[in-house]
Amino acid sequence: MNIRIISKNVGLALMLEAAFMLLSALVSALDGFDASFSPLLLSGILTLTVGVLPIIFVGSSQNKINTREGLMILTMAWLLTCIFGLMPFALYGGEFSLINALFESVSGITTTGATIVSDVEALPKGLLFWRSSSHFIGGLGVVVFMLVILPSAGTVRLKMSRIEVSDISQSNYNFRSNKLVRVVLSVYISLMVLLVLSYLLCGMSLFDAVNHAFSAVATGGFSTHTASIGWFDSPVIEVVTALFMVASSLHFGMIYSSVAGRNLKIFRHPVVKFFLTSLLVGVVLVTVDLLATGTYTNFFEALRHAFFNVVSFGTSTGFATEDTSVWPVFAIFLLMYFSVQCGCSGSTTGGLKSDRLWALFTAVRVQLYKTVYPNVVVPVKYGNTAADPEQVSGIAIYAVLYFMIIIICALVYAAVGMDFVDSFSSSVAMVGNIGPAFGSVGSLSNFDEVSTVAKLVMCVEMIVGRLGLFTALTLLIRKRV
């Protein structure tokens, strides 16, 4: 492996992280130099120093990279940003022990949004801004941001953009690698700016608006309030947040093409229709269940909370307006299903992705059809693209691995003392980067009481889920001689 090019590019990722730490320190200074100023400033300086060192002292290297080196850059960038990201929390102290600081950092960078903080309002503004900034960094991946400042648009840019964007979504990106990065970032930043302005019009403060926009567009879930979006008790804010969560879960390439072409072709794509229709059906079913079980007696209250929380789980964001852990079992099962499905590839969402589920459902339908008509050739299609058998097989293997990880990690959590609901729902939430689970770690609770072993496994599960299973496992494969 080319250690020089790996260290330099990972250093660029750390420099980006340091920039947001220093920006958070500035927020702390503007708030009267609150208790987070020194931890943020020191963390920013140390992270920046480590990031700059390879660029200064490592010799020049040709701008060529193979797939394995690209995977190593991607993995090391994620791991090191998570490790350095814990420093502001650990130096601040309080309830942030070393393991809690690591958990909060990993949860932020992977846009999971699970937290160990029991009283969010008690945290200083500088540290709150850093929590939300970690979502901003992780929203599209530190590697995508790193590509913007790479010295050239050669092989590195091409390899890294292909790795960071999910395989199943690449066929819908009809852009060269250079334009791909601009497309992704332009959509990401545009959604964020529009949401900040929308929040301000809804009456949010600038600080709350920016922090919640970072979380919503990154489909993260960190809030500046313990009660999450429910703290505002505003149907308008909930609708605005839900609409942007959905938009952030759509394919960014298709959003760009639809806006640039001034058309609505994104809504004609079968995967998008599947995703939006499933959310609509989920909202209806949960609303009916909440009314039928007497959880809510007012139709509009039931619809309001069903709409927001189904969208929140179905986009892997994890914002909450109510404690969904006390909802009826049927509603909880539906929310867990959406925690697995989530949004579309090519977006900031987590989970298995609607694209893969659509491809699997289509493959089952095709297989049933071929059982009746064995001589008919029917391709598995998503959009206008026909998937070859090898790709369908890869999707099926990915799904099997996904559920295997859920089961294995749930068993570990159960072994260290978590009950069935907590362990299974936590595993689903961690690998899907959802955030809240159910039971004692529900949407308005936290993971502070979870054991150290469970938190470490959860950190691994969050990173594996964010990297993508194949990306994480590929590094374990050795080349045959």
Side-chain angles (χ1 to χ4, degrees):
M1 283 193 182
N2 191 331
I3 302 301
R4 292 178 177 178
I5 199 167
I6 291 174
S7 59
K8 280 192 171 184
N9 289 325
V10 172
L12 289 173
L14 292 178
M15 289 171 63
L16 172 72
E17 183 176 39
F20 278 93
M21 288 179 180
L22 296 175
L23 180 60
S24 300
L26 176 61
V27 172
S28 174
L30 294 175
D31 192 45
F33 293 94
D34 61 37
S36 65
F37 177 75
S38 295
L40 287 166
L41 182 62
L42 179 59
S43 300
I45 292 173
L46 289 174
T47 305
L48 180 63
T49 301
V50 174
V52 167
L53 286 177
I55 297 174
I56 296 176
F57 294 104
V58 175
S60 61
S61 176
Q62 291 184 346
N63 195 25
K64 292 183 179 180
I65 184 174
N66 59 40
T67 301
R68 190 170 178 82
E69 289 167 346
L71 290 169
M72 181 59 73
I73 292 173
L74 177 59
T75 303
M76 292 304 298
W78 277 105
L79 290 176
L80 289 179
T81 49
C82 287
I83 291 172
F84 280 87
L86 70 82
M87 288 196 298
F89 300 114
L91 292 175
Y92 173 75
E95 56 193 319
F96 290 110
S97 61
L98 186 60
I99 181 60
N100 282 350
L102 177 64
F103 183 91
E104 201 79 7
S105 174
V106 172
S107 181
I109 296 294
T110 60
T111 70
T112 304
T115 184
I116 58 88
V117 181
S118 56
D119 185 3
V120 176
E121 284 88 350
L123 296 179
K125 283 190 174 181
L127 202 61
L128 287 174
F129 188 82
W130 167 241
R131 287 173 83 237
S132 301
S133 295
S134 65
H135 277 344
F136 182 89
I137 295 169
L140 289 181
V142 288
V143 177
V144 170
F145 286 104
M146 185 177 65
L147 288 169
V148 180
I149 52 177
L150 281 175
S152 70
T155 309
V156 172
R157 185 184 292 271
L158 179 62
K159 292 276 187 181
M160 294 307 297
S161 62
R162 284 180 176 173
I163 291 170
E164 181 66 8
V165 178
S166 173
D167 287 339
I168 196 170
S169 68
Q170 287 176 17
S171 59
N172 291 316
Y173 273 114
N174 297 314
F175 310 109
R176 302 177 69 88
S177 61
N178 294 343
K179 189 174 182 180
L180 168 62
V181 178
R182 294 198 301 271
V183 165
V184 169
L185 281 176
S186 63
V187 173
Y188 189 62
I189 300 299
S190 297
L191 287 173
M192 203 157 289
V193 171
L194 288 173
L195 183 52
V196 169
L197 295 176
S198 299
Y199 277 151
L200 292 175
L201 291 175
C202 292
M204 268 196 191
S205 67
L206 178 61
F207 182 76
D208 278 346
V210 172
N211 280 270
H212 285 89
F214 280 2
S215 292
V217 176
T219 61
F222 280 157
S223 174
T224 53
H225 302 283
T226 304
S228 190
I229 292 293
W231 183 88
F232 298 98
D233 192 23
S234 169
V236 176
I237 287 177
E238 291 165 19
V239 170
V240 168
T241 304
L243 292 177
F244 275 87
M245 287 191 292
V246 170
S248 302
S249 298
L250 300 178
H251 195 294
F252 279 20
M254 288 192 287
I255 292 177
Y256 181 90
S257 297
S258 295
V259 173
R262 298 180 182 179
N263 57 61
L264 298 176
K265 67 179 183 179
I266 186 173
F267 297 109
R268 296 194 294 269
H269 195 282
V271 173
V272 174
K273 289 194 290 186
F274 167 71
F275 169 58
L276 296 179
T277 301
S278 64
L279 286 181
L280 178 60
V281 172
V283 170
V284 172
L285 292 176
V286 172
T287 301
V288 171
D289 189 44
L290 294 177
L291 288 171
T293 56
T295 306
Y296 299 99
T297 55
N298 183 283
F299 170 77
F300 292 103
E301 279 294 299
L303 177 62
R304 169 187 172 184
H305 294 301
F307 169 70
F308 185 86
N309 289 283
V310 166
V311 170
S312 183
F313 276 87
T315 58
S316 79
T317 307
F319 280 145
T321 58
E322 291 284 287
D323 184 3
T324 54
S325 292
V326 300
W327 280 10
V329 175
F330 179 72
I332 290 176
F333 267 108
L334 282 174
L335 292 179
M336 289 190 68
Y337 164 76
F338 285 110
S339 298
V340 173
Q341 174 187 294
C342 296
C344 305
S345 294
S347 69
T348 59
T349 190
L352 189 58
K353 304 288 193 302
S354 292
D355 304 63
R356 293 190 177 98
L357 278 177
W358 172 258
L360 290 174
F361 291 155
T362 304
V364 170
R365 179 177 58 83
V366 168
Q367 188 59 45
L368 292 174
Y369 190 80
K370 290 175 69 175
T371 301
V372 180
Y373 305 101
N375 296 324
V376 175
V377 177
V378 182
V380 176
K381 298 181 68 175
Y382 49 92
N384 297 320
T385 305
D388 57 50
E390 184 177 349
Q391 188 174 23
V392 175
S393 176
I395 293 170
I397 293 172
Y398 190 98
V400 170
L401 285 172
Y402 192 88
F403 287 108
M404 284 179 60
I405 288 176
I406 288 176
I407 293 171
I408 291 171
C409 292
L411 289 173
V412 173
Y413 304 147
V416 296
M418 296 177 71
D419 65 27
F420 174 77
V421 173
D422 287 11
S423 58
F424 185 76
S425 63
S426 292
S427 188
V428 172
M430 295 301 110
V431 75
N433 304 126
I434 310 300
F438 295 96
S440 65
V441 286
S443 50
L444 296 183
S445 303
N446 60 75
F447 289 78
D448 185 37
E449 298 300 321
V450 174
S451 70
T452 298
V453 173
K455 284 175 184 172
L456 286 172
V457 176
M458 287 177 182
C459 287
V460 174
E461 196 175 5
M462 285 187 280
I463 293 173
V464 168
R466 187 63 181 88
L467 277 173
L469 307 188
F470 286 159
T471 302
L473 295 176
T474 299
L475 292 172
L476 302 177
I477 303 300
R478 293 188 177 276
K479 184 178 179 180
R480 290 180 179 272
V481 180

